[in-house]
Structure formats: structure tokens, C-alpha cells
Amino acid sequence: MAWRSCSVLLRLTGEAALRSPTRGGRWPHSFQQRCGFRKAGRKPESKKVEEEPGPPHTESSEAAVPRRTPTPHLEQQAPPTSPRAFSRLIKPLVFTVGFTGCSFGSAAIWQYESVKFRVQSFFDEIRADWLEKMKPQKKGDVRKEINQWWNSLSEGQRTVTGIIAANAIVFCCWRVPSLQRFMIKYFTSNPASKTLCSPMLLSTFSHFSFFHMAANMYVLWSFSTSAVSMLGREQFLAVYLSAGVFSTFFSYAGKIVTGRFGPSLGASGAIMTVLAAVCTKMPEAKLAIIFLPMFTFTAANALKAIVAMDTAGLVLGWRFFDHAAHLGGAVFGIWYILSGHELIWKNREPFVKLWHDLRTGGGGGRGGDGGGRGGDGGGSV
């Protein structure tokens, strides 16, 4: 769940503070107070602002939040049809394209190096296994128990363990009062913010609510085995990271078009890509809800229901979830399985060969071809 306006952060810090437009990267006074910032003294003129007669229409829900202090530095956002507003998508678009290319290029190089390393260390691993058997077994060895647990995991579960650990670290950082400003600036995505590009990736690892993080990580863990066995470890990570950035770009575009600005955070955009990819590749697979295991449905129907719900939420203006980010992740996952894999991953061989020539000084191309094709056996779609 990529939660709009920081998801549970809405309930804990006040919805109005998050949905209020920002200028210069600054946040409403009420939001700063509730995030643990130093409380500024009430300005005498603030009371005047409150006493000024407002427009005749009914008061908005944002203004109804108790103890909200008007902030003079806030201004109304530019209308969604403003060329200036849409020009803010240029840098995120360039960053999305560039980051996606770098992700898949790095994944191809990583796969090449992994295959090369496995070939070179084959006999060393055999000798290490033989020496391990010769050593006396230690009882109650914690390290051995951890190794046994790690080896019992599937490759997909081992792959997403690092992602889950990163999300847990960022979640703990949200609990440090001195880091609040830094976290809001770099770990929440908002097209109205001065910082546009780095939050597109960092917000994918950011959760303010423990329930939000636990739900997202559970879904990621559940689909990790199928996704990694289908794509391979390297390709999966490239897809996951690229999906996080792409879904945030979709979120930016949705907020500018609708004029509903506000920060978002969460991994659900990237997780929606994983879910959509698995459901598209295996539409007849049976799924169930954790609390209602007796009710099963096909993966195709689940994907259709999720896309329909997020489309309705985007059109009707539901603001609890970032429905645009969810739709962006689903679109990326469906596209990658239907076309993206053939377009990107299966055409990586010239790039891998170039890397091989750089590593070996231009001599011999067979090693690069082997490294380039190494992942197709276990990671093809």
C-alpha cells in the first residue's frame, strides 16, 4: 500500500498538515509540531487571519482539524493545467528513464560476475564442503542454526530479505525526532517539493506505520518465491527498483493532473509490479486472503479487482491510498511480462559482451556470452 499523504501518518499527524501545499520544501506548522519539531510561539497576527471572514461555501475538512495554526508561508498550488506544473515532470521523467536503464545494466553486469565467480570458485566450494564434514559438529552453535535457517529459505525469500531489512531500518529512522525533517524531505515523494528525484526511490523503502510496513512486506515475501524463480535474482531486483521509481512518477503525474498534492510513501507501487507480473504470467494460480483462506480466486481475477479498485479510487478522489502509484506499478508489471522482458532483458547480450571486453582487455567473447546467457536458464519468463 503506497499510502497517500503518508498513510497512517495522516491519522497521527493530522491530515490537513500533509495535504496542505508546500513552498520551498517547508511544511505546515501543525505537521512540524506533531512530528516532534520545536513548537514555535504563536504569532499575534495569526489570530487576525482566523477572524477574517472566509468564503461563503462550507469549510473544508482540512480546516476542521483541531488546533490547526494558519501558516502565512503557504500558498495555493498552481492549477493542474498550468504549463509550469507539468514542467515539473520533466526531471522525474528523465530520472525514471535513466534509473531504469542503470538498474537493468547493473543487473546484467551482476549476473555476469555471479556466473563467472561461481565457475571460478567451484572447486573451492567442494574443498570447503569436504573440510566442513571433517570438523567435529558443534552443538548449540548459533551461527550454524542461522545458516541452516538461511539455507532453508527459497532463493526468492533470500533475495527480498535485504529489501525487508532496508525497510525496517528506514522505519526505525522515522522514530528519531532529530531525523524528522530529513525523512520528510527525502523519504516522502511529493511533486510540490523542491526535492523531486531522490525521493522517487527512497520513498519506496519508507513506512511511517508499522502495520503499513508489515502488510507490504508480507505480500512481498509471499510473492517473492514465484517472482524470483520466474525472473531470476538479478532481473527481479532490477524490476523491483525500477518499478518503485516508475510508480512514483505515475503518482507525480496523477497528483498534478488532479491537483491533489501531498506526500506519499510506501513500497506498494513496486510490490504491485511484482504482484501484477506473477498474476499476468500465471493467471490461473489460486490465491487466498490470509484471514479468509477458505475463499480462493484466480490470480487473474485478483489483478482485475485490484486494478478496478485503484482506478475507481483515482477517478473518485479517494485519498487514503496513492491509487495512481498502485496503477503505475500494475501497468509496469503487466507491460514487463508482455513486452518489457523481450525488449530489455533478452537484448542485454551486446552490453554484457562490451563489459566482458572491458574486463578482459578485449580478448575473447565467449566468456561474455556465457555470462550474458547464464541467467536465462533459471530466470527466463
Side-chain angles (χ1 to χ4, degrees):
M1 294 168 285
W3 288 19
R4 183 69 176 271
S5 299
C6 297
S7 178
V8 169
L9 197 61
L10 281 174
R11 302 199 302 267
L12 301 182
T13 62
E15 186 171 312
L18 286 176
R19 290 182 181 169
S20 297
T22 61
R23 183 184 182 191
R26 298 180 66 187
W27 293 85
H29 179 67
S30 58
F31 178 76
Q32 295 177 3
Q33 290 180 10
R34 296 164 201 258
C35 281
F37 299 139
R38 184 178 179 181
K39 183 175 180 180
R42 181 184 293 272
K43 295 183 179 179
E45 62 270 21
S46 64
K47 187 174 181 181
K48 275 188 178 179
V49 176
E50 290 179 354
E51 293 175 353
E52 290 179 1
H57 57 74
T58 57
E59 187 181 31
S60 63
S61 60
E62 288 84 358
V65 176
R67 297 185 182 178
R68 182 186 174 191
T69 305
T71 49
H73 65 272
L74 296 179
E75 293 181 357
Q76 188 66 26
Q77 291 290 345
T81 56
S82 169
R84 184 179 179 184
F86 281 101
S87 67
R88 293 186 64 80
L89 291 176
I90 296 177
K91 285 177 64 178
L93 177 61
V94 173
F95 179 78
T96 300
V97 175
F99 182 83
T100 300
C102 292
S103 296
F104 282 96
S106 301
I109 293 174
W110 180 20
Q111 186 186 70
Y112 166 84
E113 296 293 342
S114 297
V115 172
K116 186 176 179 181
F117 176 78
R118 286 198 296 266
V119 172
Q120 291 176 346
S121 61
F122 176 73
F123 292 103
D124 292 337
E125 290 177 358
I126 294 178
R127 184 174 62 180
D129 291 341
W130 180 77
L131 290 175
E132 184 67 23
K133 292 179 180 179
M134 295 295 294
K135 291 180 180 179
Q137 299 296 324
K138 297 180 179 180
K139 295 183 179 180
D141 190 354
V142 177
R143 184 177 178 182
K144 179 183 176 182
E145 293 177 359
I146 294 175
N147 287 335
Q148 288 178 348
W149 169 79
W150 180 257
N151 293 329
S152 67
L153 300 178
S154 65
E155 184 180 7
Q157 292 171 334
R158 290 197 295 267
T159 301
V160 301
T161 299
I163 298 176
I164 295 174
N167 280 268
I169 292 173
V170 175
F171 172 77
C172 293
C173 290
W174 275 107
R175 298 298 174 276
V176 181
S178 60
L179 295 178
Q180 291 290 306
R181 292 181 183 273
F182 176 82
M183 300 298 294
I184 292 171
K185 182 177 181 180
Y186 292 103
F187 286 84
T188 63
S189 59
N190 186 359
S193 172
K194 276 188 175 181
T195 310
L196 291 174
C197 295
S198 55
M200 296 178 73
L201 174 65
L202 297 178
S203 63
T204 305
F205 297 88
S206 179
H207 299 83
F208 187 82
S209 162
F210 178 79
F211 174 78
H212 184 196
M213 182 185 68
N216 277 344
M217 295 303 101
Y218 174 79
V219 175
L220 178 62
W221 181 269
S222 301
F223 282 87
S224 62
T225 300
S226 299
V228 173
S229 63
M230 183 174 68
L231 298 173
R233 178 181 57 178
E234 299 85 1
Q235 186 181 184
F236 169 81
L237 287 176
V239 169
Y240 183 86
L241 295 176
S242 301
V245 174
F246 183 84
S247 62
T248 304
F249 176 78
F250 233 73
S251 172
Y252 280 0
K255 291 174 183 177
I256 289 178
V257 169
T258 60
R260 306 183 191 115
F261 294 94
S264 300
L265 75 173
S268 57
I271 294 173
M272 273 296 298
T273 294
V274 175
L275 187 150
V278 173
C279 292
T280 302
K281 185 63 178 178
M282 299 181 289
E284 299 303 322
K286 293 295 183 180
L287 303 179
I289 302 175
I290 181 174
F291 300 112
L292 301 171
M294 69 289 300
F295 297 105
T296 60
F297 40 85
T298 64
N301 289 335
L303 180 60
K304 292 175 184 177
I306 294 173
V307 170
M309 183 189 70
D310 284 317
T311 302
L314 182 62
V315 172
L316 298 177
W318 300 345
R319 305 190 69 166
F320 191 63
F321 298 115
D322 192 340
H323 298 283
H326 290 185
L327 287 175
V331 167
F332 187 82
I334 295 171
W335 170 82
Y336 190 81
I337 293 300
L338 297 180
S339 304
H341 175 76
E342 296 286 338
L343 181 65
I344 299 177
W345 194 249
K346 288 200 171 180
N347 289 323
R348 73 193 186 281
E349 186 172 331
F351 177 76
V352 175
K353 187 177 184 302
L354 175 63
W355 174 257
H356 171 77
D357 292 341
L358 291 174
R359 290 272 280 109
T360 59
R366 296 183 60 84
D369 293 343
R373 297 191 184 100
D376 282 344
S380 60
V381 175

